[in-house]
Structure formats: structure tokens, C-alpha cells
Amino acid sequence: ALSQKSVKMPRKKWPAGKTLSKAMLALNIIGRFQALSAFLYHPTHTHRAHTSNIPLKLKNKLLPAMSPPATAIHSQSDASSPSTVSTQKANDHNTTTRLKYMTSMEKICKDHSIFLLDMWGVMHDGTNPYDGVIDTISQLKALGKKMIILSNSSKRRDTAVKMLIKLGFDPDDFDEIITSGEISHQMLSGDPTLACRTWPTLTTIRDRGPFHKKVFCLGSGSHDEQYVTSAGWTLSPISEASLILARGTFTVNDGTTIVKKTEDEEKYFRVLDESLRVAAARRVPMLVSNPDKVRPDVGLPPMPGALGDLYQSLLSGEGSEELVKRIGKPFGEVYELALNGSDPADAVMVGDALETDVTGGGAAGCRTVWVVKDGIHGDAVEEMGGGYEQGVERVLEDFNEGKGFLNGDGVRPSFVVPHFRW
């Protein structure tokens, strides 16, 4: 489907005559080829040329299901974000207005008292903090700014704290550290202190009693069983499960057998495909504890959000939209928890991803800062050519075009900065 030259990776050779179902083929392609992963994340930007070799039939099958319009981000059945804030209203101005380019965070901070901060792609690259970030945090703290981390990590809060310490940050600098994985765990356990709207489908399952709290886990391979059992659930085969938990793209865990992609990739995709088809036939709900579709890393590897979109494409019938619940940016629960009654106009969402950070922050009524060069769109902007600002404009234009926005409507960051630096 993709030229070897474009993706610079060896082509997968399948046994003669072997066919792959839609789900199996989709995830194999997503997992193997950076071009299609980028295409699914922001369908029409710099990888347009790279994806020209993908058959049109495949594009038409996968893209509508796996890359829903940004206007649909708040269509989940529980109205998971403030319904009074439309995507168009949330963005400060029409997309024909020139972007506000800033060279540093210092010029932005005076008008905002609350800073909602993404982690990966803004503060660090998974291994090291970006240059100047720790100093920026210190400056914001000295000015008395409230800083809240909003991470789409499917892991719990304590893991994020350990990561911050490892990277040289002081967790006490932040007023709150919110992860999608922590919110999902609280929902699974029925934590009464969770101060955001919950998922009625999940509540109904819990209320039926312990026998029904059986979950089939698409895992990260890191403490999946502990995560599930500590919330009061039991791992179960898909034929018996009341819920699917999508928290990673590395393992399939039914409580008896763990199939690992790193050990047998072909078996992993086969079992994943079979399981999702059984689940779709049974209409088993899915909780996605990280709605990111790709990770800002080499090759843009797939994330649980891609599994959620894929499963959604296999479902049919009335109420299918209610069967997949995504927790994290751009959806509303994280912003409810972060703002906690504060005026969104006082807050600014700082992130690198148009799909999650900028879209979600804008829809919540916050100002947004798009951090370009260190994040997921950095390479795309550079590859556009014509200079930094022209690259930014073209990537944003293509993103909105790919999401179906017309006549100047669409996602529009309040500010654009190259790095999260003072």
C-alpha cells in the first residue's frame, strides 16, 4: 500500500493467499507505517504525497471511521463536555484571521491565571525535558500562576508523578496532575469523589453487581491486571466480558492468556481482530482510557484512540455511538476536573496536538497555545517548506480541511509558539 521509499521501512510480506480482515489490516498498517498513522491523525497535511500510494478504496473504508470530524468530539452520549461551547465559538476568531505568533510564554502569561499543560510534546519527549521548560515552570510558579497537568496517559496519577521526578520536575509545582488513566480508574471503581460527569453505561454494569464486573483488556503490558483488579474488576474472555478496556496497543489480555505484539505480531493482530468482531456482535461497551490516536514519537506509533475508532467502525445499529467512551482530551471530563468551576476565560490550554489539546481546550472555552516545534506536528511544519509561519498555516489549513470545516470555521489556536519556553 505504501512505497518503501516513502516510509523508509521494509514492506510486510504476508504468506501467499493470506487475507486480512478490515480490522486486522487496519491495525497492521497503522502499526507499521508512519505515513498512514500520520494520515489518520491529520489526514491531509504534509504526508499527502506519502499517502498518495494508499489505495483509494482503503482510504474510504478507514478514514471515516478512524478519524471523526472535530465537531463530533462532544457527541458522546453523556454530553461529556460543556454543551454551551461550540467548536467555532471556542476558537477566538474565524480561521481567516491571521494567527498570533509569539516567541515565548512570557508574552502570554500576564492575561491568564490558570495554565493547563500537556506533558509529552510540550514539557518532555518521553526521555528528557525540552530546553527551557523547567525554567518556564519556575517562572510561572513565581508569578503565582495555577498550573494543572492534563495528560492523556492511560496510566494512573502516581505514574505521572514518578515520570516528572525522573525528568527533573518538582511535582509540587503543579496544583493538580490529571491523567486519563486516573479518571478511567475512578470511573471503573465507582469513586464517589470523582467530580465530573460519568458514563451511564458503565454505571449500569457496576450496579448489576460483582459478577458482571468482567473486563477484556487491550493493554499496555505494564500493570494491566493490577489496574483492573484494584478497581474491583476481573479480567475475562471477550465471550463473557461486560466491558472492553482499551489502555494500550501492545497486549490482548483475557485473564488467562496474554498475547504480546512484541513477541508474535501476527498472532496479536489475529487475536485482536477476532476479539473485536466477537465484541461488536455482542455489542460490548468499550472504555478508551487514552483517546490519542498516535504517539508523538518516531513513526507516530498507534495509541488506544485508534483502537476506539476502529471498534466504532465495526459496530452498527441504533445506539452504537454510546458504546465507545473516550476519556481524556479533547473530551470534557478532564476540563471539568481541571477548571473545577473556574472561569474558562482565565485559563489557557498549552499543547502540541491540534486534535486533542487545541480542539479540546477551545471547546471548553479556554484560550489555547499551540506548541509547534517539539510536538506531533513539528516535522509536518518543517516539511511543508517556505518557512516556519507558512508551514504552520498550511498544516492548520490541511487539518481543518481534513476535518470537513468549510468557510473559515474550524480549529484555531489563540497563540502559536515554537517551544514552551520563557
Side-chain angles (χ1 to χ4, degrees), residues 376-404:
I376 197 166
H377 301 287
D379 289 343
V381 169
E382 184 177 353
E383 291 170 14
M384 281 294 185
Y388 169 65
E389 292 191 9
Q390 183 175 337
V392 165
E393 298 278 356
R394 290 179 63 190
V395 167
L396 182 61
E397 178 185 351
D398 283 351
F399 176 84
N400 282 317
E401 179 186 325
K403 295 299 179 185

Side-chain angles (χ1 to χ4, degrees), residues 295-311:
R295 186 170 70 244
D297 202 352
V298 176
L300 297 177
M303 295 290 279
L307 292 175
D309 289 354
L310 176 59
Y311 185 54

